């Protein structure tokens, strides 16, 4: 298995809703990442987990809450989002070093 | 400051023609340089990855070059197809952090 699987592919949520994005990989990668990407812009790093521990938080608002239950799973819990949080959310995983950096196909999030 | 600059910002070519995309970077210390293809609304897909000792790397009709002395890279697409229409992102990995440095991307449109 050489894929990073993200679910759901599309999500529409109200500003008072609570939802979660899920990411899964079975490549044995020990680093997992959440990125946010707005239209026509490059991905922006949000969080990095290394060996299931949060190693980087790029000053992301607390309405985004990451969780890494095990080495294969990464969740992003969403609560009280704003319309400007609408974007493509990408998960990625890596072995570290030279290669093995793989992106998922993303979750298109719309906040209404 | 670590930066990656790509040119042109956008490009339109006819099907069957070749094209070359450029990437200049100031990232230091350098670990590797990656080219990704990203279809609209989808996650980036890796095309090539090169370390400083590699000058050329091919993946089908895609050929990437790297000049570590001048800190320049190019991505050459041969015999373009309609399916090549996408954004192409140059990404540089520093060797001292786990944070990738993304270029702004080149949007390629291949017309019949």
């Amino acid at each position: 298995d050489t894929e990073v699987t993200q679910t759901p592919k599309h999500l529409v949520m109200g500003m008072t809703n609570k939802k979660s994005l899920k990411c899964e990989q079975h490549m044995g990668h020990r680093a997992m990442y959440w990125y946010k990407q707005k239209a026509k812009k490059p991905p922006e790093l949000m969080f990095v987990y290394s060996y299931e521990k949060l190693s980087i938080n790029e000053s992301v608002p607390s309405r985004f809450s990451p969780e890494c239950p095990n080495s294969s799973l990464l969740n992003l819990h969403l609560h009280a989002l704003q319309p400007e949080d609408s974007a493509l959310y990408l998960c990625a995983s890596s072995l570290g070093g030279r290669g093995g950096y793989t992106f998922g196909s993303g979750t298109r999030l719309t906040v209404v | 400051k670590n930066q990656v600059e790509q040119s042109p910002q956008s490009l339109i070519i006819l099907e069957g023609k070749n094209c070359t995309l450029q990437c200049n970077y100031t990232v230091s210390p350098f670990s590797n340089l990656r080219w990704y293809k990203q279809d609209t609304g989808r996650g980036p897909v890796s095309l090539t990855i090169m370390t400083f000792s590699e000058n050329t790397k091919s993946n089908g009709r895609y050929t990437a070059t790297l000049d570590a002395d001048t800190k320049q890279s190019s991505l050459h697409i041969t015999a373009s197809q309609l399916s090549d229409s996408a954004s192409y992102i140059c990404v540089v990995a520093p060797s001292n952090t786990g944070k990738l440095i993304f270029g702004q991307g080149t949007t390629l449109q291949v017309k019949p």
Side-chain angles (χ1 to χ4, degrees):
Chain A
D1 188 351
T2 58
E3 290 188 348
V4 173
T5 302
Q6 288 188 245
T7 56
K9 293 192 183 304
H10 302 275
L11 178 62
V12 179
M13 61 184 290
M15 291 187 286
T16 59
N17 291 160
K18 286 185 179 181
K19 297 287 184 182
S20 296
L21 309 185
K22 181 179 175 180
C23 174
E24 191 169 2
Q25 59 88 13
H26 297 286
M27 295 177 282
H29 290 177
R30 294 306 187 185
M32 296 186 75
Y33 312 78
W34 280 115
Y35 284 86
K36 173 184 178 180
Q37 187 177 23
K38 302 286 270 186
K40 300 187 186 302
K41 297 288 187 182
E44 298 176 8
L45 183 64
M46 300 175 70
F47 302 104
V48 180
Y49 272 84
S50 179
Y51 289 89
E52 302 168 42
K53 294 190 185 304
L54 183 64
S55 60
I56 296 177
N57 176 342
E58 290 289 286
S59 302
V60 179
S62 60
R63 57 186 184 269
F64 295 91
S65 176
E67 178 196 18
C68 189
N70 59 57
S71 59
S72 299
L73 285 175
L74 185 66
N75 298 321
L76 185 63
H77 303 297
L78 314 172
H79 173 56
L81 294 193
Q82 303 297 311
E84 59 264 30
D85 296 322
S86 299
L88 181 68
Y89 287 84
L90 295 166
C91 174
S93 69
S94 74
L95 274 170
R98 187 186 182 280
Y101 202 102
T102 304
F103 283 92
S105 55
T107 294
R108 169 67 63 189
L109 174 67
T110 303
V111 181
V112 297
Chain B
K1 180 181 178 182
N2 286 337
Q3 283 187 320
V4 176
E5 295 183 355
Q6 294 186 241
S7 62
Q9 185 174 359
S10 62
L11 183 62
I12 300 174
I13 62 173
L14 292 177
E15 186 179 11
K17 298 296 187 182
N18 304 335
C19 67
T20 300
L21 314 181
Q22 300 290 342
C23 173
N24 296 334
Y25 62 93
T26 57
V27 179
S28 182
F30 173 87
S31 175
N32 58 70
L33 184 146
R34 312 151 190 244
W35 282 95
Y36 286 91
K37 176 186 179 186
Q38 185 174 23
D39 293 316
T40 301
R42 305 282 293 176
V45 174
S46 180
L47 296 175
T48 62
I49 178 170
M50 292 182 292
T51 62
F52 71 93
S53 61
E54 297 174 294
N55 302 119
T56 303
K57 184 70 70 75
S58 291
N59 179 357
R61 295 180 296 104
Y62 301 101
T63 299
T65 65
L66 174 64
D67 185 333
D69 292 330
T70 61
K71 298 187 177 181
Q72 295 179 327
S73 176
S74 66
L75 180 69
H76 186 74
I77 304 175
T78 303
S80 62
Q81 300 176 357
L82 298 178
S83 59
D84 292 332
S85 296
S87 289
Y88 291 83
I89 308 174
C90 177
V91 183
V92 179
S95 58
N96 58 350
T97 77
K99 297 169 61 172
L100 302 182
I101 312 298
F102 288 80
Q104 293 292 314
T106 292
T107 300
L108 173 66
Q109 186 177 358
V110 180
K111 289 191 170 183

